[in-house]
Amino acid sequence: MEYSSLPKDPMVLLSFINTKLRDDYPSFDELCSSLCVDADGIKKKLATIDYSYDEKKNRFV
């Protein structure tokens, strides 16, 4: 499965990614690999709203 168009709005993207991490993936790397999405691009977009990935919590905080 490939997600060619993730939500553009950073807040909606945050919700989408954190929900996927909570429900379906044990790590951000696995999520990105499985969905064929750019990890750095997601991290940069979420950094614009002051969120970063917390490995211990497996979510963006």
Side-chain angles (χ1 to χ4, degrees):
M1 175 185 287
E2 180 177 336
Y3 278 80
S4 58
S5 61
L6 291 173
K8 303 291 185 232
D9 181 271
M11 291 303 290
V12 177
L13 178 63
L14 173 67
S15 177
F16 175 82
I17 294 295
N18 276 343
T19 298
K20 286 288 191 188
L21 288 169
R22 181 192 68 214
D23 295 345
D24 302 320
Y25 296 97
S27 73
F28 181 61
D29 288 336
E30 279 195 44
L31 178 147
C32 292
S33 177
S34 177
L35 301 182
C36 301
V37 294
D38 175 40
D40 289 335
I42 292 171
K43 287 180 178 179
K44 286 177 185 175
K45 186 161 221 168
L46 294 180
T48 66
I49 56 170
D50 298 321
Y51 279 81
S52 61
Y53 181 64
D54 183 321
E55 285 186 51
K56 290 181 182 177
K57 294 181 180 178
N58 190 35
R59 63 178 289 137
F60 279 83
V61 294

